[in-house]
C-alpha cells in the first residue's frame, strides 16, 4: 500500500500563485497531478517520469511547472498565473512502475476567485 500526503491548496486571487506538494510513503515511478473542476470529469494537469520527462495539459502549459525530488519521494506543482477556470480539487497521482497500479491522494482544493 502507498500513502500520499498532499498540501498547498487554498484560496488565491486571479493572477496569483500556489505550490502543491505530495509526499509518497515510498519510491514511485510516474508522479503527477490531476484535477476535477466542479461538475466536470477528472483531467490530467501534469505528470513526470523518474527521468524527469514531463507532460502538461495544454491549458496549463507555460503557467504551471511540475518537479520532483526523488530522494524525498515528493512531487511539486508550481502554479502561476492562476485563473478562475483553474478552480478544482487537485489530486496527486503516482504509479509504482510501468503497467503498475496507480494510487491517488485525497485531493486538495484550489479556488481562484477575487
Amino acid at each position: 500500500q502507498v500513502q500520499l500526503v498532499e498540501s498547498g491548496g487554498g484560496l488565491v486571487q486571479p493572477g496569483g500563485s500556489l505550490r502543491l506538494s505530495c509526499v509518497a510513503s515510498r519510491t514511485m515511478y510516474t508522479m503527477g497531478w490531476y484535477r476535477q473542476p466542479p461538475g466536470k470529469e477528472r483531467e490530467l494537469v501534469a505528470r513526470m517520469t523518474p527521468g524527469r520527462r514531463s507532460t502538461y495539459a495544454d491549458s496549463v502549459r507555460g503557467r504551471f511547472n511540475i518537479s520532483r525530488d526523488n530522494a524525498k519521494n515528493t512531487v511539486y506543482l508550481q502554479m502561476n498565473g492562476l485563473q478562475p477556470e483553474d478552480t478544482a480539487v487537485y489530486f496527486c497521482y503516482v504509479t509504482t512502475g510501468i503497467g503498475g497500479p496507480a494510487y491517488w491522494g485525497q485531493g486538495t482544493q484550489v479556488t481562484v476567485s477575487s
Side-chain angles (χ1 to χ4, degrees):
Q1 192 60 276
V2 175
Q3 284 74 49
L4 300 172
V5 179
E6 301 166 347
S7 61
L11 172 65
V12 64
Q13 292 186 343
S17 298
L18 284 174
R19 189 195 196 204
L20 304 182
S21 300
C22 174
V23 182
S25 56
R26 60 184 176 92
T27 300
M28 292 290 107
Y29 189 72
T30 296
M31 303 184 80
W33 298 90
Y34 279 68
R35 68 186 181 186
Q36 187 163 14
K40 297 184 179 180
E41 295 185 352
R42 195 172 297 189
E43 61 185 15
L44 172 70
V45 178
R47 61 175 177 244
M48 180 173 276
T49 67
R52 293 183 169 81
R53 186 169 65 180
S54 57
T55 302
Y56 291 93
D58 289 343
S59 60
V60 307
R61 188 175 293 112
R63 298 187 297 125
F64 292 10
N65 184 67
I66 189 171
S67 61
R68 61 189 289 172
D69 185 335
N70 291 334
K72 296 181 179 179
N73 300 331
T74 302
V75 62
Y76 306 97
L77 185 68
Q78 177 66 43
M79 305 185 292
N80 300 323
L82 284 161
Q83 299 301 319
E85 53 265 34
D86 295 314
T87 294
V89 178
Y90 284 70
F91 296 90
C92 179
Y93 162 87
V94 299
T95 67
T96 57
I98 299 175
Y103 297 88
W104 296 89
Q106 78 281 5
T108 184
Q109 178 70 45
V110 171
T111 302
V112 185
S113 175
S114 56

